[in-house]
Amino acid sequence: GSGSREAVERLVREHPVVVFMKGSPAQPLCGFSNAVVQILRLHGVEDYRAHDVLQDPDLRQGIKNYSNWPTIPQVYLNGEFVGGCDILLQMHQNGDLVEELKKLGIRSALLDAEKDQEKK
């Protein structure tokens, strides 16, 4: 089923940025999922795969087994498990997220925002 290790592996590798969340980016159904969406939006990352685990209990359990992480949301960059909301927020605050996105060939919108600040 969709919760098997192979199925989950395929999902985390199908896109450079993959998020397993409750609800959808347009309509997150929990505060933590919403926070992840907002952080990605701040960096201008609109092109990513989001999977709603509420639609699929199999996947919901499968992804927890796969990452060995008990909670949702979960963020994957380049097929690697990064963490949940707290870790993403930390990476956002300390600048690591900009670096990680750069490795994927994604330029964070925050870099351009900082440039604009300097001009003023």
Side-chain angles (χ1 to χ4, degrees), residues 18-22 30-37 51 53 63 67 69-76 81 83-86 88:
V18 182
V19 179
F20 296 85
M21 62 182 291
K22 295 178 183 176
C30 87
F32 299 112
S33 291
N34 182 46
V36 165
V37 169
H51 297 281
V53 300
I63 194 68
S67 60
W69 187 262
T71 55
I72 305 285
Q74 295 187 11
V75 179
Y76 289 76
F81 174 58
C85 170
D86 297 356
L88 199 67

mmCIF file of all heavy atoms in Angstrom, residues 18-22 30-37 51 53 63 67 69-76 81 83-86 88:
data_model
loop_
_atom_site.group_PDB
_atom_site.id
_atom_site.type_symbol
_atom_site.label_atom_id
_atom_site.label_comp_id
_atom_site.label_asym_id
_atom_site.label_seq_id
_atom_site.Cartn_x
_atom_site.Cartn_y
_atom_site.Cartn_z
ATOM 1 N N VAL A 18 9.756 18.084 -0.540
ATOM 2 C CA VAL A 18 8.539 17.309 -0.299
ATOM 3 C C VAL A 18 8.092 17.515 1.146
ATOM 4 O O VAL A 18 8.906 17.448 2.066
ATOM 5 C CB VAL A 18 8.760 15.804 -0.568
ATOM 6 C CG1 VAL A 18 7.467 15.019 -0.357
ATOM 7 C CG2 VAL A 18 9.279 15.585 -1.987
ATOM 8 N N VAL A 19 6.809 17.796 1.311
ATOM 9 C CA VAL A 19 6.247 18.033 2.640
ATOM 10 C C VAL A 19 5.080 17.078 2.871
ATOM 11 O O VAL A 19 4.186 16.965 2.029
ATOM 12 C CB VAL A 19 5.734 19.494 2.757
ATOM 13 C CG1 VAL A 19 5.127 19.740 4.137
ATOM 14 C CG2 VAL A 19 6.856 20.485 2.486
ATOM 15 N N PHE A 20 5.113 16.394 3.987
ATOM 16 C CA PHE A 20 3.970 15.593 4.428
ATOM 17 C C PHE A 20 3.286 16.394 5.518
ATOM 18 O O PHE A 20 3.917 16.762 6.509
ATOM 19 C CB PHE A 20 4.434 14.229 4.934
ATOM 20 C CG PHE A 20 5.078 13.411 3.852
ATOM 21 C CD1 PHE A 20 6.411 13.567 3.546
ATOM 22 C CD2 PHE A 20 4.326 12.517 3.109
ATOM 23 C CE1 PHE A 20 7.012 12.845 2.525
ATOM 24 C CE2 PHE A 20 4.906 11.790 2.083
ATOM 25 C CZ PHE A 20 6.251 11.950 1.793
ATOM 26 N N MET A 21 2.013 16.691 5.300
ATOM 27 C CA MET A 21 1.333 17.641 6.182
ATOM 28 C C MET A 21 -0.110 17.235 6.407
ATOM 29 O O MET A 21 -0.603 16.279 5.809
ATOM 30 C CB MET A 21 1.403 19.039 5.565
ATOM 31 C CG MET A 21 0.708 19.152 4.207
ATOM 32 S SD MET A 21 0.869 20.807 3.465
ATOM 33 C CE MET A 21 -0.149 21.781 4.581
ATOM 34 N N LYS A 22 -0.774 17.990 7.278
ATOM 35 C CA LYS A 22 -2.214 17.816 7.475
ATOM 36 C C LYS A 22 -2.906 18.922 6.690
ATOM 37 O O LYS A 22 -2.701 20.101 6.974
ATOM 38 C CB LYS A 22 -2.559 17.888 8.959
ATOM 39 C CG LYS A 22 -1.947 16.736 9.748
ATOM 40 C CD LYS A 22 -2.247 16.836 11.231
ATOM 41 C CE LYS A 22 -1.546 15.697 11.986
ATOM 42 N NZ LYS A 22 -1.737 15.803 13.438
ATOM 43 N N CYS A 30 -3.543 22.109 10.345
ATOM 44 C CA CYS A 30 -3.001 22.233 11.702
ATOM 45 C C CYS A 30 -1.965 23.338 11.720
ATOM 46 O O CYS A 30 -1.391 23.689 10.687
ATOM 47 C CB CYS A 30 -2.441 20.909 12.225
ATOM 48 S SG CYS A 30 -0.743 20.574 11.822
ATOM 49 N N GLY A 31 -1.772 23.910 12.893
ATOM 50 C CA GLY A 31 -0.886 25.062 13.037
ATOM 51 C C GLY A 31 0.544 24.773 12.606
ATOM 52 O O GLY A 31 1.203 25.606 11.995
ATOM 53 N N PHE A 32 1.011 23.562 12.887
ATOM 54 C CA PHE A 32 2.388 23.219 12.565
ATOM 55 C C PHE A 32 2.560 23.065 11.053
ATOM 56 O O PHE A 32 3.565 23.491 10.482
ATOM 57 C CB PHE A 32 2.812 21.936 13.285
ATOM 58 C CG PHE A 32 2.743 22.068 14.779
ATOM 59 C CD1 PHE A 32 1.813 21.362 15.510
ATOM 60 C CD2 PHE A 32 3.607 22.928 15.456
ATOM 61 C CE1 PHE A 32 1.740 21.488 16.896
ATOM 62 C CE2 PHE A 32 3.542 23.061 16.838
ATOM 63 C CZ PHE A 32 2.613 22.343 17.558
ATOM 64 N N SER A 33 1.560 22.449 10.417
ATOM 65 C CA SER A 33 1.600 22.316 8.961
ATOM 66 C C SER A 33 1.555 23.702 8.328
ATOM 67 O O SER A 33 2.279 23.994 7.369
ATOM 68 C CB SER A 33 0.430 21.464 8.460
ATOM 69 O OG SER A 33 0.594 20.112 8.860
ATOM 70 N N ASN A 34 0.717 24.558 8.876
ATOM 71 C CA ASN A 34 0.604 25.932 8.387
ATOM 72 C C ASN A 34 1.943 26.660 8.511
ATOM 73 O O ASN A 34 2.363 27.378 7.600
ATOM 74 C CB ASN A 34 -0.477 26.677 9.159
ATOM 75 C CG ASN A 34 -0.669 28.088 8.650
ATOM 76 O OD1 ASN A 34 -0.752 28.327 7.450
ATOM 77 N ND2 ASN A 34 -0.691 29.039 9.557
ATOM 78 N N ALA A 35 2.633 26.455 9.630
ATOM 79 C CA ALA A 35 3.922 27.117 9.849
ATOM 80 C C ALA A 35 4.933 26.707 8.781
ATOM 81 O O ALA A 35 5.676 27.542 8.257
ATOM 82 C CB ALA A 35 4.450 26.785 11.241
ATOM 83 N N VAL A 36 4.947 25.422 8.450
ATOM 84 C CA VAL A 36 5.872 24.926 7.423
ATOM 85 C C VAL A 36 5.572 25.590 6.077
ATOM 86 O O VAL A 36 6.478 26.049 5.378
ATOM 87 C CB VAL A 36 5.785 23.385 7.312
ATOM 88 C CG1 VAL A 36 6.433 22.880 6.030
ATOM 89 C CG2 VAL A 36 6.455 22.734 8.519
ATOM 90 N N VAL A 37 4.294 25.659 5.736
ATOM 91 C CA VAL A 37 3.878 26.298 4.485
ATOM 92 C C VAL A 37 4.309 27.770 4.464
ATOM 93 O O VAL A 37 4.825 28.269 3.466
ATOM 94 C CB VAL A 37 2.344 26.175 4.299
ATOM 95 C CG1 VAL A 37 1.846 27.058 3.171
ATOM 96 C CG2 VAL A 37 1.965 24.716 4.053
ATOM 97 N N HIS A 51 1.913 16.313 0.496
ATOM 98 C CA HIS A 51 1.027 15.160 0.634
ATOM 99 C C HIS A 51 0.216 15.309 1.904
ATOM 100 O O HIS A 51 0.782 15.506 2.989
ATOM 101 C CB HIS A 51 1.842 13.867 0.670
ATOM 102 C CG HIS A 51 2.607 13.624 -0.593
ATOM 103 N ND1 HIS A 51 2.016 13.114 -1.728
ATOM 104 C CD2 HIS A 51 3.904 13.860 -0.915
ATOM 105 C CE1 HIS A 51 2.932 13.030 -2.690
ATOM 106 N NE2 HIS A 51 4.081 13.475 -2.223
ATOM 107 N N VAL A 53 -1.599 13.818 4.732
ATOM 108 C CA VAL A 53 -1.662 12.509 5.393
ATOM 109 C C VAL A 53 -3.059 12.213 5.933
ATOM 110 O O VAL A 53 -3.379 11.057 6.211
ATOM 111 C CB VAL A 53 -0.629 12.386 6.537
ATOM 112 C CG1 VAL A 53 0.788 12.549 6.017
ATOM 113 C CG2 VAL A 53 -0.912 13.378 7.654
ATOM 114 N N ILE A 63 5.005 7.163 6.748
ATOM 115 C CA ILE A 63 6.029 8.213 6.739
ATOM 116 C C ILE A 63 6.681 8.335 8.113
ATOM 117 O O ILE A 63 7.884 8.604 8.233
ATOM 118 C CB ILE A 63 5.450 9.577 6.256
ATOM 119 C CG1 ILE A 63 6.583 10.555 5.926
ATOM 120 C CG2 ILE A 63 4.503 10.192 7.246
ATOM 121 C CD1 ILE A 63 7.402 10.187 4.734
ATOM 122 N N SER A 67 10.777 7.778 8.566
ATOM 123 C CA SER A 67 11.676 8.804 9.108
ATOM 124 C C SER A 67 12.050 8.505 10.555
ATOM 125 O O SER A 67 12.969 9.088 11.091
ATOM 126 C CB SER A 67 10.993 10.162 9.076
ATOM 127 O OG SER A 67 9.814 10.116 9.867
ATOM 128 N N TRP A 69 10.212 9.362 12.936
ATOM 129 C CA TRP A 69 9.843 10.646 13.554
ATOM 130 C C TRP A 69 8.351 10.582 13.826
ATOM 131 O O TRP A 69 7.577 10.289 12.916
ATOM 132 C CB TRP A 69 10.187 11.756 12.562
ATOM 133 C CG TRP A 69 10.029 13.152 13.079
ATOM 134 C CD1 TRP A 69 8.958 13.970 12.871
ATOM 135 C CD2 TRP A 69 10.976 13.922 13.824
ATOM 136 N NE1 TRP A 69 9.179 15.194 13.453
ATOM 137 C CE2 TRP A 69 10.413 15.194 14.043
ATOM 138 C CE3 TRP A 69 12.248 13.658 14.332
ATOM 139 C CZ2 TRP A 69 11.067 16.188 14.754
ATOM 140 C CZ3 TRP A 69 12.899 14.646 15.038
ATOM 141 C CH2 TRP A 69 12.312 15.901 15.236
ATOM 142 N N PRO A 70 7.911 10.850 15.060
ATOM 143 C CA PRO A 70 6.532 10.511 15.435
ATOM 144 C C PRO A 70 5.459 11.495 14.981
ATOM 145 O O PRO A 70 4.277 11.207 15.111
ATOM 146 C CB PRO A 70 6.597 10.495 16.965
ATOM 147 C CG PRO A 70 7.695 11.453 17.298
ATOM 148 C CD PRO A 70 8.712 11.332 16.188
ATOM 149 N N THR A 71 5.867 12.669 14.488
ATOM 150 C CA THR A 71 4.845 13.690 14.228
ATOM 151 C C THR A 71 4.846 14.160 12.775
ATOM 152 O O THR A 71 5.793 13.968 12.022
ATOM 153 C CB THR A 71 5.063 14.915 15.146
ATOM 154 O OG1 THR A 71 6.403 15.395 14.958
ATOM 155 C CG2 THR A 71 4.870 14.557 16.608
ATOM 156 N N ILE A 72 3.743 14.788 12.417
ATOM 157 C CA ILE A 72 3.532 15.428 11.124
ATOM 158 C C ILE A 72 3.412 16.915 11.427
ATOM 159 O O ILE A 72 2.811 17.248 12.440
ATOM 160 C CB ILE A 72 2.226 14.921 10.474
ATOM 161 C CG1 ILE A 72 2.213 13.392 10.366
ATOM 162 C CG2 ILE A 72 1.966 15.577 9.136
ATOM 163 C CD1 ILE A 72 3.084 12.786 9.298
ATOM 164 N N PRO A 73 3.884 17.850 10.656
ATOM 165 C CA PRO A 73 4.470 17.690 9.317
ATOM 166 C C PRO A 73 5.919 17.183 9.323
ATOM 167 O O PRO A 73 6.600 17.237 10.344
ATOM 168 C CB PRO A 73 4.439 19.129 8.778
ATOM 169 C CG PRO A 73 4.492 20.004 9.997
ATOM 170 C CD PRO A 73 3.748 19.249 11.055
ATOM 171 N N GLN A 74 6.305 16.699 8.147
ATOM 172 C CA GLN A 74 7.681 16.294 7.912
ATOM 173 C C GLN A 74 8.147 16.910 6.604
ATOM 174 O O GLN A 74 7.410 16.914 5.620
ATOM 175 C CB GLN A 74 7.802 14.774 7.837
ATOM 176 C CG GLN A 74 7.468 14.083 9.142
ATOM 177 C CD GLN A 74 7.758 12.598 9.120
ATOM 178 O OE1 GLN A 74 8.405 12.086 8.209
ATOM 179 N NE2 GLN A 74 7.264 11.895 10.122
ATOM 180 N N VAL A 75 9.371 17.401 6.626
ATOM 181 C CA VAL A 75 9.935 18.057 5.447
ATOM 182 C C VAL A 75 11.128 17.262 4.943
ATOM 183 O O VAL A 75 11.992 16.853 5.729
ATOM 184 C CB VAL A 75 10.386 19.500 5.780
ATOM 185 C CG1 VAL A 75 10.995 20.173 4.564
ATOM 186 C CG2 VAL A 75 9.208 20.304 6.322
ATOM 187 N N TYR A 76 11.161 17.038 3.626
ATOM 188 C CA TYR A 76 12.268 16.344 2.976
ATOM 189 C C TYR A 76 12.889 17.257 1.934
ATOM 190 O O TYR A 76 12.173 17.867 1.139
ATOM 191 C CB TYR A 76 11.783 15.059 2.291
ATOM 192 C CG TYR A 76 11.401 13.984 3.281
ATOM 193 C CD1 TYR A 76 10.204 14.045 3.975
ATOM 194 C CD2 TYR A 76 12.256 12.924 3.534
ATOM 195 C CE1 TYR A 76 9.862 13.075 4.911
ATOM 196 C CE2 TYR A 76 11.924 11.944 4.464
ATOM 197 C CZ TYR A 76 10.730 12.030 5.144
ATOM 198 O OH TYR A 76 10.406 11.074 6.067
ATOM 199 N N PHE A 81 15.339 13.376 5.014
ATOM 200 C CA PHE A 81 14.444 13.883 6.043
ATOM 201 C C PHE A 81 15.126 15.024 6.799
ATOM 202 O O PHE A 81 16.239 14.870 7.292
ATOM 203 C CB PHE A 81 14.072 12.762 7.013
ATOM 204 C CG PHE A 81 13.268 13.227 8.189
ATOM 205 C CD1 PHE A 81 12.053 13.865 7.992
ATOM 206 C CD2 PHE A 81 13.705 13.026 9.481
ATOM 207 C CE1 PHE A 81 11.290 14.303 9.080
ATOM 208 C CE2 PHE A 81 12.959 13.445 10.570
ATOM 209 C CZ PHE A 81 11.750 14.084 10.357
ATOM 210 N N GLY A 83 13.164 17.322 9.064
ATOM 211 C CA GLY A 83 12.534 17.420 10.374
ATOM 212 C C GLY A 83 11.130 17.952 10.251
ATOM 213 O O GLY A 83 10.554 17.980 9.171
ATOM 214 N N GLY A 84 10.613 18.395 11.395
ATOM 215 C CA GLY A 84 9.264 18.940 11.426
ATOM 216 C C GLY A 84 9.288 20.451 11.499
ATOM 217 O O GLY A 84 10.269 21.089 11.128
ATOM 218 N N CYS A 85 8.216 20.996 12.007
ATOM 219 C CA CYS A 85 8.037 22.445 12.073
ATOM 220 C C CYS A 85 9.142 23.132 12.879
ATOM 221 O O CYS A 85 9.717 24.130 12.439
ATOM 222 C CB CYS A 85 6.667 22.719 12.683
ATOM 223 S SG CYS A 85 6.393 24.427 13.090
ATOM 224 N N ASP A 86 9.467 22.590 14.059
ATOM 225 C CA ASP A 86 10.463 23.227 14.942
ATOM 226 C C ASP A 86 11.812 23.330 14.262
ATOM 227 O O ASP A 86 12.494 24.356 14.327
ATOM 228 C CB ASP A 86 10.647 22.412 16.229
ATOM 229 C CG ASP A 86 9.373 22.351 17.045
ATOM 230 O OD1 ASP A 86 8.394 23.004 16.630
ATOM 231 O OD2 ASP A 86 9.356 21.660 18.071
ATOM 232 N N LEU A 88 12.497 23.129 11.031
ATOM 233 C CA LEU A 88 12.456 24.016 9.868
ATOM 234 C C LEU A 88 12.514 25.480 10.325
ATOM 235 O O LEU A 88 13.216 26.295 9.730
ATOM 236 C CB LEU A 88 11.194 23.770 9.043
ATOM 237 C CG LEU A 88 11.264 24.304 7.609
ATOM 238 C CD1 LEU A 88 12.300 23.542 6.791
ATOM 239 C CD2 LEU A 88 9.922 24.259 6.920
#
